[in-house]
Amino acid sequence: MTQIKINKSDVFELKTDALVLGVFEKTEKFTGLVQQLDEVFQNKISSLYSENEIRGKLGEVTIIHNFVGFSAERLVIAGLGKIEEFDSDVVRKVSASVLNRLNGINLKQVSFSPIGSDLLGIFNSAKSIVEGAVLGLYRFEKYKSKPAGVSIKSVDLMGFASVNEDQVQDAVNQGKIIAEAVNLSRDLSNEPSNKMTPSVLSEIATDIANKEDFEIEVFDEKDISNFGMGALIGVASGSVEKPKFIVLKYFGKDKKSSPLCFIGKGITFDSGGISLKPAQNMGDMKGDMAGGASVIAAIQAIAKLKLKINLVVIVPATENMPGGSAQKPGDVVTAMNGTNIEIDNTDAEGRLVLADAISYARTIGVSKIVDVATLTGAIRVALGTNYAGIFGNNDELTKNIIESGKIVGEKIWELPVDHDYDHQYKSQVADFKNTGGRDAGSITGAQFIGEFAGEIPWAHLDIAAISRTNSDKFYNRKGATGFAVRTMIQFARLFEI
Ligand code: BES
Ligand code: MN
Ligand code: ZN
């Protein structure tokens, strides 16, 4: 584990493998520490800049050696991109890019000077560097006999403590808590499905609740049947793994104040069921519990941050398998709220388990529901892999989530909910069917879920296209991204007393 600490040394006496400075693209003049060091080093940095060896482009990392009279082994100039496009997510990206590059040359200790602190403030700068570091140095190597590991043992923040060390330390702690929660979500989603069964997921959730001292209930198959959750039972029926209905409760303010509710889709493997998926990339469906992972990770962080809110997190967890007892197209199941659903396609299982989770949430009395789900392949057709889709029945709620996403660097775009789509999922034999045809697949999926929310303010995040990535880029690593953890934490802050 990489250590992160505040370092109060003087810049000229700083003993480190590398001191990192940030420069913007197309700046006429350096400021602050860069300007100061440029002068001391007889315009070395500015001449590299004017000769275009350094351009300041986002992600660019230039390593310079051998400065006389300077105890840092290397000076690292990190490109910050265009100043008009600068925000705290740029800092995360820069921090991750620099550390991965320096990790590639086996450095052990890296010191960051404040990046963009004039624009963001010193605390935001510190928090974002820490988040970029913890996210960027994430690896999932537990099944490698010879893990490559990470050479960087310590990341220091240099020149941050002159203001108020306690506040900087608090920013560092917050950044760590948040990024470690994202990494927890990534770990859960990267884990193969034979290791991350519904039972294992419920045990991990139990460990977290015990450690952070909040409440948890894990309902088993019998309880689920007794609740009348026919939709969840239907999905689970094709698997030998037993379903678990996981309910986590955190009270950070007066218990009488009705809690927020985050629900995460918890399909630990989605084979499609009898409507079997094609073989190609089916392995990625071990990550079909990414929504569940992200809301479990979010409540862990919210508890660690001691936010003054009340929150219930619900994860309906099951496999979707085509066993001999599996549900079949044409079957009719009855959800907890009495709604009859015709199973048109067993691969549209997410909306089924969410229907029961939302029905349950309504019975315990929650103020707002946000569900996070890898729901539809169609969301990728609509938005590509840069934005998650959001849908809802309450403008203020959807706007607040989109805004929260902007603050933390997670992009979310709203798609419509409209009664004109209702007919697409009307059934001949039951109240609804679980598919809505080819057109607007993400919208009909969302609206199906919305039918169970009724009058309660509800929003649905479709993270199917953004929950995993195919390449290492900035602070993301190939595999699970942990998307929505940061947005949900930020959103929760809106309800602090
Ligand atoms: N888990 C999938 C959605 C998905 C697809 C997630 C690709 C991540 C990457 C979901 O359960 C599913 O299979 N949805 C179907 C719905 C259809 C049958 C109405 C889909 O998108 O094809
Ligand atoms: Mn499916
Ligand atoms: Zn699925």
Side-chain angles (χ1 to χ4, degrees):
M1 267 287 269
T2 307
Q3 291 270 332
I4 299 179
K5 50 186 192 293
I6 297 169
N7 188 324
K8 291 187 276 186
S9 316
D10 177 88
V11 64
F12 290 95
E13 279 151 31
L14 179 71
K15 294 237 188 317
T16 182
D17 289 345
L19 171 65
V20 182
L21 306 171
V23 296
F24 286 105
E25 199 176 330
K26 298 205 174 84
T27 24
E28 296 298 316
K29 221 179 155 318
F30 295 138
T31 56
L33 188 59
V34 189
Q35 180 191 28
Q36 198 191 325
L37 290 178
D38 190 40
E39 275 170 24
V40 175
F41 302 138
Q42 292 159 357
N43 304 326
K44 265 259 165 57
I45 305 170
S46 49
S47 62
L48 285 168
Y49 204 93
S50 57
E51 281 159 28
N52 285 334
E53 281 187 45
I54 295 176
R55 291 175 188 269
K57 287 202 185 300
L58 179 57
E60 178 194 74
V61 179
T62 309
I63 304 170
I64 312 172
H65 276 249
N66 300 332
F67 283 101
V68 181
F70 197 56
S71 51
E73 297 280 343
R74 297 166 189 80
L75 206 52
V76 174
I77 313 292
L80 306 181
K82 296 197 179 71
I83 195 159
E84 317 85 72
E85 288 167 15
F86 185 76
D87 61 15
S88 54
D89 207 45
V90 169
V91 179
R92 281 183 209 103
K93 288 173 175 167
V94 168
S95 167
S97 304
V98 165
L99 289 169
N100 275 312
R101 173 72 189 286
L102 299 181
N103 189 63
I105 56 168
N106 281 316
L107 299 197
K108 292 196 168 52
Q109 189 195 1
V110 179
S111 306
F112 280 86
S113 63
I115 293 177
S117 52
D118 309 350
L119 298 158
L120 299 173
I122 194 91
F123 308 113
N124 224 334
S125 174
K127 178 167 173 267
S128 304
I129 291 172
V130 172
E131 289 180 0
V134 176
L135 296 174
L137 293 177
Y138 172 82
R139 301 291 185 270
F140 186 79
E141 297 188 313
K142 63 187 283 197
Y143 300 111
K144 294 270 190 198
S145 305
K146 297 191 180 74
V150 163
S151 69
I152 295 177
K153 298 287 171 256
S154 117
V155 172
D156 292 7
L157 301 181
M158 199 284 306
F160 284 83
S162 54
V163 232
N164 180 334
E165 194 178 337
D166 288 349
Q167 273 178 280
V168 178
Q169 189 58 55
D170 185 53
V172 170
N173 294 345
Q174 288 204 27
K176 264 200 211 166
I177 288 171
I178 293 165
E180 280 166 6
V182 177
N183 288 351
L184 165 65
S185 172
R186 287 161 140 185
D187 274 343
L188 298 176
S189 298
N190 282 330
E191 197 69 52
S193 76
N194 63 328
K195 313 278 182 187
M196 189 53 59
T197 61
S199 305
V200 171
L201 187 61
S202 71
E203 282 157 20
I204 293 173
T206 304
D207 290 345
I208 293 168
N210 292 340
K211 177 143 187 278
E212 303 309 330
D213 202 20
F214 58 81
E215 297 173 26
I216 179 161
E217 289 167 295
V218 176
F219 298 107
D220 64 14
E221 196 180 25
K222 237 188 168 155
D223 302 318
I224 295 168
S225 289
N226 289 339
F227 285 141
M229 296 177 172
L232 172 54
I233 287 290
V235 174
S237 62
S239 174
V240 294
E241 288 294 338
K242 296 296 178 207
K244 300 286 172 190
F245 191 82
I246 307 166
V247 181
L248 303 142
K249 293 179 179 168
Y250 165 77
F251 295 99
K253 66 180 176 192
D254 188 345
K255 270 199 169 186
K256 282 191 272 288
S257 158
S258 128
L260 290 172
C261 178
F262 299 165
I263 299 177
K265 174 176 171 181
I267 303 296
T268 58
F269 186 72
D270 181 11
S271 71
I274 295 297
S275 312
L276 197 65
K277 286 182 179 297
Q280 199 176 11
N281 296 328
M282 203 205 271
D284 282 352
M285 286 300 127
K286 67 183 173 187
D288 208 22
M289 33 56 75
S294 284
V295 295
I296 291 171
I299 198 172
Q300 172 186 283
I302 287 164
K304 285 191 171 182
L305 293 166
K306 300 190 165 56
L307 296 194
K308 294 183 175 62
I309 63 150
N310 293 342
L311 173 65
V312 173
V313 156
I314 301 177
V315 181
T318 177
E319 286 187 336
N320 184 27
M321 293 291 282
S325 54
Q327 67 178 349
K328 304 166 293 294
D331 288 0
V332 172
V333 297
T334 305
M336 187 184 184
N337 72 349
T339 304
N340 293 314
I341 305 164
E342 180 191 1
I343 306 302
D344 181 47
N345 185 321
T346 63
D347 198 11
E349 83 297 340
R351 65 199 73 184
L352 297 172
V353 304
L354 293 171
D356 275 334
I358 290 178
S359 302
Y360 176 85
R362 291 183 69 184
T363 67
I364 61 171
V366 297
S367 61
K368 294 179 180 57
I369 297 174
V370 183
D371 79 73
V372 184
T374 48
L375 202 79
T376 65
I379 199 70
R380 181 163 183 169
V381 180
L383 296 174
T385 56
N386 294 310
Y387 278 78
I390 191 167
F391 308 77
N393 62 9
N394 181 292
D395 282 343
E396 192 187 332
L397 177 59
T398 45
K399 280 209 182 74
N400 281 337
I401 295 170
I402 293 168
E403 261 331 290
S404 303
K406 275 190 188 151
I407 293 170
V408 301
E410 293 188 322
K411 295 180 187 178
I412 303 167
W413 198 261
E414 186 173 6
L415 281 88
V417 159
D418 189 316
H419 285 306
D420 286 350
Y421 294 102
D422 291 356
H423 68 95
Q424 289 184 235
Y425 55 92
K426 287 277 129 66
S427 164
Q428 289 290 312
V429 299
D431 300 319
F432 303 122
K433 58 180 176 178
N434 74 332
T435 57
R438 249 178 66 84
D439 290 358
S442 302
I443 297 173
T444 52
Q447 287 193 192
F448 178 95
I449 298 167
E451 297 283 353
F452 295 83
E455 301 305 308
I456 292 195
W458 155 82
H460 157 68
L461 273 168
D462 192 338
I463 61 166
I466 205 165
S467 69
R468 304 187 82 75
T469 176
N470 269 327
S471 59
D472 297 342
K473 193 175 174 199
F474 297 124
Y475 52 76
N476 278 329
R477 308 287 303 176
K478 188 171 159 54
T481 59
F483 190 92
V485 175
R486 289 183 288 134
T487 299
M488 299 314 284
I489 298 167
Q490 185 66 30
F491 171 70
R493 291 184 193 273
L494 295 173
F495 302 92
E496 284 204 278
I497 33 168

